[in-house]
Amino acid sequence: MREKVSKARRWVVKIGSALLTADGRGLDRGAMAVWVEQMVALRRAGVELVLVSSGAVAAGMSRLGWSERPGTIHELQAAAAVGQMGLVQAWESSFAEHGLQTAQVLLTHDDLSDRKRYLNARSTLRTLVDLGVIPVINENDTVVTDEIRFGDNDTLAALVANLVEADLLVILTDRDGMFDADPRHNPDAQLIFEARADDPSLDAVAGGTGGALGRGGMQTKLRAARLAARSGANTIIVGGRIERVLDRLKGSERLGTLLTPERSRYAARKQWLAGHLQMRGTLSLDAGAVRALLEQRKSLLPVGVTAVEGNFRRGEMVVCLGPDGREVARGLVNYSAADAQRIIGLSTEAIEQELGYIDEPELVHRDNLVLV
Ligand SMILES: Nc1ncnc2c1ncn2[C@@H]1O[C@H](COP(=O)(O)OP(=O)(O)O)[C@@H](O)[C@H]1O
Ligand SMILES: N[C@@H](CCC(=O)OP(=O)(O)O)C(=O)O
Protein backbone atom coordinates (compact mmCIF):
# COMPACT_ATOMS: atom_id res chain seq x y z
CA MET A 1 0.00 0.00 0.00
CA ARG A 2 2.69 2.46 0.99
CA GLU A 3 4.59 2.12 -2.28
CA LYS A 4 1.96 4.60 -3.51
CA VAL A 5 3.83 7.07 -1.35
CA SER A 6 7.40 6.04 -2.04
CA LYS A 7 6.79 5.99 -5.80
CA ALA A 8 5.05 9.36 -5.97
CA ARG A 9 6.99 11.75 -8.17
CA ARG A 10 5.30 15.05 -7.43
CA TRP A 11 4.44 15.94 -3.84
CA VAL A 12 2.55 18.85 -2.36
CA VAL A 13 3.57 19.21 1.29
CA LYS A 14 1.25 21.28 3.48
CA ILE A 15 2.36 22.49 6.89
CA GLY A 16 -0.33 23.86 9.20
CA SER A 17 -0.21 26.79 11.64
CA ALA A 18 -0.41 24.54 14.67
CA LEU A 19 2.95 23.01 13.77
CA LEU A 20 4.77 25.98 12.38
CA THR A 21 4.29 28.28 15.27
CA ALA A 22 5.17 26.13 18.25
CA ASP A 23 1.73 26.86 19.69
CA GLY A 24 1.77 30.59 19.33
CA ARG A 25 5.34 31.48 20.21
CA GLY A 26 6.31 32.76 16.78
CA LEU A 27 7.71 30.61 14.01
CA ASP A 28 9.43 27.43 15.09
CA ARG A 29 12.56 27.88 13.00
CA GLY A 30 14.22 24.80 14.41
CA ALA A 31 11.35 22.61 13.25
CA MET A 32 11.31 24.37 9.89
CA ALA A 33 15.01 23.61 9.40
CA VAL A 34 14.34 19.92 10.06
CA TRP A 35 11.58 19.76 7.42
CA VAL A 36 13.73 21.69 5.00
CA GLU A 37 16.53 19.16 5.38
CA GLN A 38 14.09 16.37 4.54
CA MET A 39 12.56 18.26 1.63
CA VAL A 40 16.03 18.87 0.24
CA ALA A 41 16.70 15.12 0.47
CA LEU A 42 13.42 14.43 -1.35
CA ARG A 43 14.39 16.80 -4.14
CA ARG A 44 17.75 15.14 -4.45
CA ALA A 45 15.92 11.82 -4.75
CA GLY A 46 14.07 13.25 -7.77
CA VAL A 47 10.81 14.26 -6.08
CA GLU A 48 9.22 17.44 -7.42
CA LEU A 49 8.07 19.51 -4.49
CA VAL A 50 5.56 22.24 -3.84
CA LEU A 51 5.19 23.58 -0.31
CA VAL A 52 1.96 25.03 1.05
CA SER A 53 2.74 26.87 4.24
CA SER A 54 0.30 28.35 6.73
CA GLY A 55 1.46 30.41 9.66
CA ALA A 56 1.20 33.99 8.38
CA VAL A 57 -1.53 35.02 10.81
CA ALA A 58 0.13 33.25 13.71
CA ALA A 59 3.57 34.69 12.90
CA GLY A 60 2.07 38.16 12.46
CA MET A 61 0.27 37.93 15.79
CA SER A 62 3.53 37.12 17.49
CA ARG A 63 5.37 39.96 15.70
CA LEU A 64 2.64 42.40 16.69
CA GLY A 65 2.62 41.14 20.25
CA TRP A 66 -0.98 39.91 20.08
CA SER A 67 -1.72 36.93 22.25
CA GLU A 68 -5.24 36.26 21.03
CA ARG A 69 -6.48 35.66 17.52
CA PRO A 70 -8.10 38.96 16.48
CA GLY A 71 -11.82 39.15 15.87
CA THR A 72 -12.10 41.30 12.77
CA ILE A 73 -11.16 40.22 9.30
CA HIS A 74 -9.07 43.36 8.77
CA GLU A 75 -6.97 42.67 11.85
CA LEU A 76 -6.49 39.10 10.64
CA GLN A 77 -5.47 40.38 7.24
CA ALA A 78 -3.07 42.87 8.79
CA ALA A 79 -1.52 40.13 10.92
CA ALA A 80 -1.20 37.90 7.85
CA ALA A 81 0.52 40.68 5.91
CA VAL A 82 3.05 41.21 8.69
CA GLY A 83 3.54 37.50 9.30
CA GLN A 84 3.91 36.48 5.66
CA MET A 85 7.15 38.50 5.55
CA GLY A 86 8.67 36.48 8.34
CA LEU A 87 7.28 33.25 7.00
CA VAL A 88 8.83 33.47 3.53
CA GLN A 89 12.01 34.90 4.96
CA ALA A 90 12.34 31.90 7.27
CA TRP A 91 11.71 29.39 4.47
CA GLU A 92 14.00 31.20 2.10
CA SER A 93 16.98 31.36 4.45
CA SER A 94 16.52 27.79 5.55
CA PHE A 95 16.39 26.40 1.97
CA ALA A 96 19.26 28.70 0.96
CA GLU A 97 21.50 26.97 3.47
CA HIS A 98 21.19 23.93 1.23
CA GLY A 99 21.64 25.93 -1.96
CA LEU A 100 17.96 25.74 -2.96
CA GLN A 101 15.88 28.69 -4.08
CA THR A 102 12.31 29.39 -3.08
CA ALA A 103 9.50 31.43 -4.61
CA GLN A 104 6.55 33.06 -2.90
CA VAL A 105 3.19 32.30 -4.51
CA LEU A 106 0.05 33.80 -2.99
CA LEU A 107 -3.24 32.52 -4.40
CA THR A 108 -6.90 33.31 -4.02
CA HIS A 109 -9.98 31.35 -4.91
CA ASP A 110 -10.49 33.44 -8.04
CA ASP A 111 -7.06 32.48 -9.32
CA LEU A 112 -8.09 28.86 -9.36
CA SER A 113 -11.65 29.18 -10.62
CA ASP A 114 -10.91 31.43 -13.60
CA ARG A 115 -9.64 29.20 -16.42
CA LYS A 116 -7.11 31.62 -17.76
CA ARG A 117 -5.57 32.45 -14.41
CA TYR A 118 -5.70 28.78 -13.47
CA LEU A 119 -3.61 27.88 -16.49
CA ASN A 120 -1.20 30.73 -15.86
CA ALA A 121 -0.73 29.73 -12.23
CA ARG A 122 -0.18 26.19 -13.42
CA SER A 123 2.43 27.19 -15.99
CA THR A 124 4.29 29.36 -13.51
CA LEU A 125 4.35 26.63 -10.90
CA ARG A 126 5.47 24.09 -13.47
CA THR A 127 8.26 26.42 -14.58
CA LEU A 128 9.39 26.97 -11.00
CA VAL A 129 9.46 23.23 -10.32
CA ASP A 130 11.38 22.63 -13.56
CA LEU A 131 13.89 25.27 -12.48
CA GLY A 132 14.45 23.38 -9.25
CA VAL A 133 12.91 26.20 -7.19
CA ILE A 134 10.61 25.33 -4.26
CA PRO A 135 7.33 27.27 -4.54
CA VAL A 136 6.07 28.32 -1.09
CA ILE A 137 2.34 28.86 -1.38
CA ASN A 138 -0.13 30.52 0.94
CA GLU A 139 -3.51 32.13 0.55
CA ASN A 140 -3.31 35.80 -0.43
CA ASP A 141 -4.91 36.74 2.89
CA THR A 142 -4.78 40.52 2.41
CA VAL A 143 -7.09 40.66 -0.58
CA VAL A 144 -9.61 37.94 0.10
CA THR A 145 -13.07 38.66 1.39
CA ASP A 146 -15.06 36.37 3.61
CA GLU A 147 -17.07 34.86 0.76
CA ILE A 148 -14.07 33.84 -1.28
CA ARG A 149 -11.63 32.73 1.40
CA PHE A 150 -10.27 29.24 1.40
CA GLY A 151 -9.85 29.97 5.11
CA ASP A 152 -7.94 26.83 5.82
CA ASN A 153 -4.89 25.84 3.89
CA ASP A 154 -5.94 22.20 3.66
CA THR A 155 -8.38 23.12 0.90
CA LEU A 156 -5.82 25.36 -0.78
CA ALA A 157 -3.24 22.56 -0.69
CA ALA A 158 -5.71 20.12 -2.28
CA LEU A 159 -6.51 22.56 -5.07
CA VAL A 160 -2.79 23.08 -5.61
CA ALA A 161 -2.42 19.29 -5.82
CA ASN A 162 -5.10 19.33 -8.54
CA LEU A 163 -3.41 22.26 -10.22
CA VAL A 164 0.05 20.73 -10.47
CA GLU A 165 -1.31 17.18 -10.90
CA ALA A 166 0.54 15.97 -7.85
CA ASP A 167 0.67 12.27 -7.11
CA LEU A 168 0.73 12.87 -3.38
CA LEU A 169 -0.57 15.44 -0.93
CA VAL A 170 1.17 15.31 2.46
CA ILE A 171 -0.66 17.21 5.19
CA LEU A 172 1.63 17.67 8.17
CA THR A 173 -0.22 18.41 11.38
CA ASP A 174 0.15 18.28 15.15
CA ARG A 175 -1.37 14.78 15.59
CA ASP A 176 0.04 11.53 14.25
CA GLY A 177 -2.73 11.31 11.67
CA MET A 178 -6.48 10.92 11.57
CA PHE A 179 -7.88 9.11 14.59
CA ASP A 180 -11.21 7.35 14.86
CA ALA A 181 -12.25 10.09 17.32
CA ASP A 182 -10.87 13.53 18.19
CA PRO A 183 -7.82 12.70 20.32
CA ARG A 184 -8.22 15.94 22.28
CA HIS A 185 -11.32 14.50 23.90
CA ASN A 186 -10.78 10.75 23.53
CA PRO A 187 -7.55 9.39 24.96
CA ASP A 188 -8.37 5.93 23.59
CA ALA A 189 -8.75 7.10 20.02
CA GLN A 190 -6.98 4.86 17.48
CA LEU A 191 -5.03 6.00 14.46
CA ILE A 192 -6.58 5.12 11.08
CA PHE A 193 -3.75 3.83 8.87
CA GLU A 194 -5.51 3.52 5.56
CA ALA A 195 -8.91 4.34 4.15
CA ARG A 196 -10.56 5.33 0.93
CA ALA A 197 -10.94 9.10 0.83
CA ASP A 198 -14.62 8.75 -0.11
CA ASP A 199 -15.47 6.39 2.77
CA PRO A 200 -18.56 8.02 4.34
CA SER A 201 -17.79 6.60 7.78
CA LEU A 202 -14.87 9.05 8.03
CA ASP A 203 -17.25 12.00 8.25
CA ALA A 204 -18.23 11.09 11.76
CA VAL A 205 -14.67 10.78 13.07
CA ALA A 206 -13.45 14.02 11.55
CA GLY A 207 -16.15 16.04 13.22
CA GLY A 208 -14.13 18.46 15.33
CA THR A 209 -12.68 21.75 14.15
CA GLY A 210 -9.14 23.07 14.50
CA GLY A 211 -7.07 24.21 17.44
CA ALA A 212 -6.46 27.75 18.69
CA LEU A 213 -4.21 28.70 15.78
CA GLY A 214 -5.22 26.47 12.91
CA ARG A 215 -8.56 26.80 11.23
CA GLY A 216 -9.46 23.52 9.77
CA GLY A 217 -9.19 20.54 12.08
CA MET A 218 -9.66 17.06 10.60
CA GLN A 219 -12.81 17.94 8.73
CA THR A 220 -11.01 20.18 6.25
CA LYS A 221 -8.20 17.63 5.94
CA LEU A 222 -10.68 14.95 4.99
CA ARG A 223 -12.32 17.29 2.51
CA ALA A 224 -8.89 18.12 1.13
CA ALA A 225 -8.14 14.42 0.63
CA ARG A 226 -11.41 14.05 -1.27
CA LEU A 227 -10.61 17.03 -3.46
CA ALA A 228 -7.10 15.74 -4.13
CA ALA A 229 -8.55 12.33 -4.99
CA ARG A 230 -10.53 13.94 -7.79
CA SER A 231 -7.36 14.34 -9.79
CA GLY A 232 -6.08 10.98 -8.63
CA ALA A 233 -3.73 12.09 -5.84
CA ASN A 234 -3.20 10.10 -2.65
CA THR A 235 -3.23 12.03 0.62
CA ILE A 236 -1.24 11.37 3.79
CA ILE A 237 -2.25 13.10 7.01
CA VAL A 238 0.67 12.71 9.36
CA GLY A 239 2.41 14.16 12.39
CA GLY A 240 4.90 16.81 11.43
CA ARG A 241 6.85 16.28 14.63
CA ILE A 242 7.46 12.61 13.99
CA GLU A 243 11.20 12.17 13.59
CA ARG A 244 12.34 12.24 9.94
CA VAL A 245 8.72 11.98 8.90
CA LEU A 246 9.15 12.85 5.22
CA ASP A 247 12.22 10.62 4.78
CA ARG A 248 10.39 7.74 6.37
CA LEU A 249 7.28 8.24 4.23
CA LYS A 250 9.52 8.17 1.18
CA GLY A 251 10.92 4.91 2.50
CA SER A 252 7.37 3.37 2.49
CA GLU A 253 7.06 3.41 6.27
CA ARG A 254 3.51 3.06 7.52
CA LEU A 255 3.12 6.42 9.24
CA GLY A 256 0.03 8.61 9.43
CA THR A 257 -3.24 8.09 7.58
CA LEU A 258 -3.19 7.28 3.87
CA LEU A 259 -6.38 8.29 2.06
CA THR A 260 -6.60 6.85 -1.42
CA PRO A 261 -8.65 7.89 -4.45
CA GLU A 262 -11.38 5.52 -5.54
CA ARG A 263 -10.17 5.41 -9.11
CA SER A 264 -6.81 5.08 -10.75
CA ARG A 265 -4.93 8.29 -11.26
CA TYR A 266 -5.56 8.25 -14.97
CA ALA A 267 -9.27 7.55 -14.73
CA ALA A 268 -9.63 10.20 -12.03
CA ARG A 269 -7.81 12.77 -14.11
CA LYS A 270 -9.95 12.03 -17.11
CA GLN A 271 -13.11 12.30 -15.12
CA TRP A 272 -11.88 15.50 -13.53
CA LEU A 273 -11.14 17.18 -16.83
CA ALA A 274 -14.42 16.03 -18.27
CA GLY A 275 -16.43 17.07 -15.25
CA HIS A 276 -14.84 20.44 -14.80
CA LEU A 277 -14.79 21.81 -18.26
CA GLN A 278 -17.09 22.24 -21.17
CA MET A 279 -15.82 21.48 -24.63
CA ARG A 280 -15.19 24.73 -26.45
CA GLY A 281 -13.80 23.69 -29.79
CA THR A 282 -12.00 21.12 -31.88
CA LEU A 283 -8.55 20.65 -33.33
CA SER A 284 -8.08 18.38 -36.35
CA LEU A 285 -4.82 16.42 -36.27
CA ASP A 286 -2.76 14.88 -39.04
CA ALA A 287 -1.73 11.24 -38.81
CA GLY A 288 1.73 12.07 -37.45
CA ALA A 289 0.28 14.08 -34.57
CA VAL A 290 -2.14 11.25 -33.71
CA ARG A 291 0.81 8.83 -33.55
CA ALA A 292 2.82 11.25 -31.41
CA LEU A 293 -0.07 11.49 -28.94
CA LEU A 294 -1.22 7.90 -28.81
CA GLU A 295 2.00 5.99 -29.29
CA GLN A 296 4.67 8.30 -27.94
CA ARG A 297 2.52 10.04 -25.31
CA LYS A 298 3.80 13.41 -26.48
CA SER A 299 2.28 16.87 -26.24
CA LEU A 300 0.36 18.24 -29.19
CA LEU A 301 2.41 20.74 -31.19
CA PRO A 302 0.82 23.24 -33.61
CA VAL A 303 2.74 21.69 -36.50
CA GLY A 304 0.50 18.58 -36.48
CA VAL A 305 -2.82 20.43 -36.50
CA THR A 306 -4.66 20.98 -39.77
CA ALA A 307 -7.80 22.85 -38.68
CA VAL A 308 -9.28 24.74 -35.73
CA GLU A 309 -12.97 25.12 -34.96
CA GLY A 310 -14.84 26.91 -32.20
CA ASN A 311 -14.22 30.04 -30.23
CA PHE A 312 -12.16 28.93 -27.26
CA ARG A 313 -9.89 30.89 -24.96
CA ARG A 314 -6.53 29.86 -23.57
CA GLY A 315 -7.07 27.29 -20.83
CA GLU A 316 -10.33 25.92 -22.18
CA MET A 317 -11.02 22.36 -23.17
CA VAL A 318 -10.85 21.24 -26.78
CA VAL A 319 -11.41 17.92 -28.51
CA CYS A 320 -8.69 16.53 -30.78
CA LEU A 321 -9.91 14.67 -33.85
CA GLY A 322 -7.90 12.32 -36.05
CA PRO A 323 -7.86 12.56 -39.88
CA ASP A 324 -10.90 10.22 -39.93
CA GLY A 325 -12.88 12.62 -37.71
CA ARG A 326 -12.78 10.33 -34.68
CA GLU A 327 -11.93 11.75 -31.25
CA VAL A 328 -8.45 10.78 -30.10
CA ALA A 329 -8.00 13.02 -27.08
CA ARG A 330 -9.22 16.04 -25.23
CA GLY A 331 -7.29 18.59 -23.28
CA LEU A 332 -6.64 22.13 -22.14
CA VAL A 333 -5.43 24.36 -24.92
CA ASN A 334 -2.59 26.87 -24.44
CA TYR A 335 -3.72 29.35 -27.08
CA SER A 336 -7.01 31.05 -27.96
CA ALA A 337 -8.84 29.88 -31.10
CA ALA A 338 -7.72 33.01 -32.99
CA ASP A 339 -4.05 32.48 -32.10
CA ALA A 340 -4.27 28.72 -32.67
CA GLN A 341 -5.62 29.43 -36.14
CA ARG A 342 -2.53 31.48 -36.90
CA ILE A 343 0.04 28.98 -35.67
CA ILE A 344 -1.28 25.62 -36.84
CA GLY A 345 1.09 23.91 -39.24
CA LEU A 346 3.98 26.03 -37.96
CA SER A 347 7.17 24.75 -36.39
CA THR A 348 7.94 25.85 -32.83
CA GLU A 349 10.49 28.44 -34.02
CA ALA A 350 7.96 30.05 -36.33
CA ILE A 351 5.31 30.57 -33.62
CA GLU A 352 6.97 33.54 -32.00
CA GLN A 353 7.54 35.17 -35.35
CA GLU A 354 3.87 34.79 -36.22
CA LEU A 355 2.38 35.88 -32.88
CA GLY A 356 5.09 38.14 -31.52
CA TYR A 357 5.14 36.06 -28.34
CA ILE A 358 5.29 32.45 -27.28
CA ASP A 359 3.47 31.18 -24.22
CA GLU A 360 4.29 27.53 -24.58
CA PRO A 361 5.58 25.62 -27.58
CA GLU A 362 2.80 23.05 -27.16
CA LEU A 363 -0.75 23.68 -28.25
CA VAL A 364 -1.87 21.16 -25.62
CA HIS A 365 0.67 19.92 -23.08
CA ARG A 366 0.63 16.18 -22.46
CA ASP A 367 -0.06 16.73 -18.73
CA ASN A 368 -3.29 18.41 -19.78
CA LEU A 369 -4.24 15.81 -22.34
CA VAL A 370 -6.49 12.86 -21.81
CA LEU A 371 -6.31 10.21 -24.49
CA VAL A 372 -9.50 8.51 -25.54
N1 LIG B 1 -10.44 12.41 14.23
C1 LIG B 1 -9.44 13.27 14.50
N2 LIG B 1 -8.16 12.82 14.42
C2 LIG B 1 -7.12 13.65 14.67
N3 LIG B 1 -7.26 14.94 15.01
C3 LIG B 1 -8.50 15.48 15.10
C4 LIG B 1 -9.65 14.64 14.84
N4 LIG B 1 -10.76 15.43 14.98
C5 LIG B 1 -10.30 16.67 15.29
N5 LIG B 1 -8.96 16.71 15.37
C6 LIG B 1 -8.16 17.90 15.73
O1 LIG B 1 -7.62 18.55 14.57
C7 LIG B 1 -6.44 19.24 14.97
C8 LIG B 1 -5.58 19.59 13.78
O2 LIG B 1 -6.18 20.58 13.00
P1 LIG B 1 -5.70 22.11 12.98
O3 LIG B 1 -5.66 22.65 14.37
O4 LIG B 1 -6.51 22.80 11.96
O5 LIG B 1 -4.19 21.94 12.52
P2 LIG B 1 -3.36 22.51 11.28
O6 LIG B 1 -2.93 23.86 11.66
O7 LIG B 1 -2.23 21.52 11.23
O8 LIG B 1 -4.20 22.47 10.05
C9 LIG B 1 -5.79 18.30 15.93
O9 LIG B 1 -4.99 18.97 16.88
C10 LIG B 1 -6.96 17.56 16.59
O10 LIG B 1 -7.21 17.97 17.89
N1 LIG C 1 -3.38 31.71 5.32
C1 LIG C 1 -3.43 31.46 6.74
C2 LIG C 1 -3.62 29.98 6.96
C3 LIG C 1 -4.96 29.60 7.49
C4 LIG C 1 -4.85 28.42 8.46
O1 LIG C 1 -4.97 28.61 9.63
O2 LIG C 1 -4.50 27.22 7.92
P1 LIG C 1 -4.27 25.85 8.74
O3 LIG C 1 -3.41 26.11 9.91
O4 LIG C 1 -3.52 25.06 7.77
O5 LIG C 1 -5.61 25.26 9.07
C5 LIG C 1 -2.11 31.83 7.41
O6 LIG C 1 -1.06 31.76 6.77
O7 LIG C 1 -2.15 32.17 8.59
Side-chain angles (χ1 to χ4, degrees):
M1 199 63 156
R2 292 303 175 108
E3 66 278 9
K4 287 194 169 96
V5 178
S6 54
K7 289 210 178 103
R9 196 173 57 92
R10 195 172 296 161
W11 296 30
V12 173
V13 175
K14 183 257 169 176
I15 308 187
S17 314
L19 267 182
L20 270 166
T21 57
D23 293 331
R25 295 187 299 275
L27 292 172
D28 186 347
R29 285 171 173 259
M32 289 168 85
V34 174
W35 293 312
V36 165
E37 231 167 73
Q38 298 176 61
M39 287 190 269
V40 170
L42 285 173
R43 267 230 59 111
R44 303 225 158 106
V47 170
E48 298 176 351
L49 261 185
V50 174
L51 175 60
V52 175
S53 172
S54 312
V57 171
M61 279 165 56
S62 142
R63 285 190 162 197
L64 293 165
W66 297 350
S67 55
E68 269 172 44
R69 200 178 164 87
T72 72
I73 186 148
H74 297 302
E75 285 170 309
L76 278 170
Q77 288 176 316
V82 172
Q84 182 66 24
M85 297 288 286
L87 188 62
V88 289
Q89 191 189 39
W91 285 122
E92 170 167 60
S93 57
S94 198
F95 275 107
E97 279 179 28
H98 302 269
L100 276 186
Q101 286 184 314
T102 44
Q104 173 180 244
V105 179
L106 298 175
L107 294 173
T108 66
H109 208 279
D110 278 356
D111 300 326
L112 300 183
S113 54
D114 176 275
R115 301 305 317 163
K116 206 167 162 190
R117 282 156 76 170
Y118 177 93
L119 205 75
N120 275 328
R122 187 186 176 285
S123 300
T124 307
L125 285 173
R126 200 170 70 203
T127 307
L128 288 168
V129 170
D130 289 347
L131 288 168
V133 174
I134 312 277
V136 181
I137 301 181
N138 197 354
E139 183 165 11
N140 194 353
D141 288 309
T142 10
V143 298
V144 289
T145 57
D146 232 354
E147 306 80 69
I148 61 159
R149 284 174 80 199
F150 297 114
D152 63 90
N153 272 359
D154 299 320
T155 310
L156 174 62
L159 294 175
V160 168
N162 290 152
L163 184 73
V164 300
E165 284 118 44
D167 310 293
L168 182 68
L169 168 63
V170 179
I171 300 182
L172 296 184
T173 186
D174 60 346
R175 303 284 156 165
D176 285 350
M178 185 190 274
F179 287 80
D180 58 7
D182 186 342
R184 274 178 304 193
H185 313 299
N186 304 275
D188 300 331
Q190 300 287 315
L191 182 69
I192 300 168
F193 281 105
E194 268 109 36
R196 284 237 319 244
D198 65 344
D199 183 341
S201 68
L202 296 176
D203 290 304
V205 308
T209 52
L213 294 163
R215 301 264 314 165
M218 270 308 129
Q219 216 163 28
T220 55
K221 290 174 184 43
L222 175 61
R223 201 173 60 211
R226 287 175 177 165
L227 276 173
R230 286 201 205 163
S231 59
N234 289 287
T235 297
I236 294 259
I237 301 169
V238 66
R241 295 199 186 98
I242 296 175
E243 206 189 343
R244 291 182 29 253
V245 57
L246 297 174
D247 290 346
R248 288 163 68 187
L249 285 175
K250 175 73 182 152
S252 302
E253 210 171 307
R254 200 159 171 250
L255 296 174
T257 306
L258 171 65
L259 297 170
T260 55
E262 56 278 22
R263 296 153 176 274
S264 75
R265 182 166 153 65
Y266 183 73
R269 172 91 185 126
K270 189 167 164 176
Q271 169 97 25
W272 183 67
L273 272 182
H276 271 68
L277 303 168
Q278 285 181 332
M279 238 66 73
R280 297 291 184 189
T282 58
L283 303 174
S284 301
L285 276 50
D286 66 19
V290 172
R291 272 199 306 279
L293 261 51
L294 298 187
E295 290 164 26
Q296 298 162 32
R297 307 276 153 154
K298 288 191 168 166
S299 299
L300 177 64
L301 298 176
V303 69
V305 179
T306 55
V308 174
E309 259 178 57
N311 187 20
F312 48 85
R313 292 183 307 162
R314 172 174 155 79
E316 292 188 324
M317 170 104 103
V318 292
V319 176
C320 302
L321 305 176
D324 55 2
R326 278 222 297 256
E327 180 176 338
V328 290
R330 51 185 64 185
L332 305 182
V333 68
N334 282 334
Y335 290 87
S336 67
D339 284 352
Q341 193 72 57
R342 290 169 62 189
I343 61 174
I344 57 171
L346 296 185
S347 66
T348 303
E349 302 78 62
I351 298 175
E352 187 162 8
Q353 232 170 10
E354 173 61 34
L355 296 180
Y357 73 95
I358 183 164
D359 258 338
E360 271 105 348
E362 310 89 15
L363 199 49
V364 183
H365 191 275
R366 68 187 151 96
D367 285 353
N368 281 334
L369 203 60
V370 173
L371 306 177
V372 172

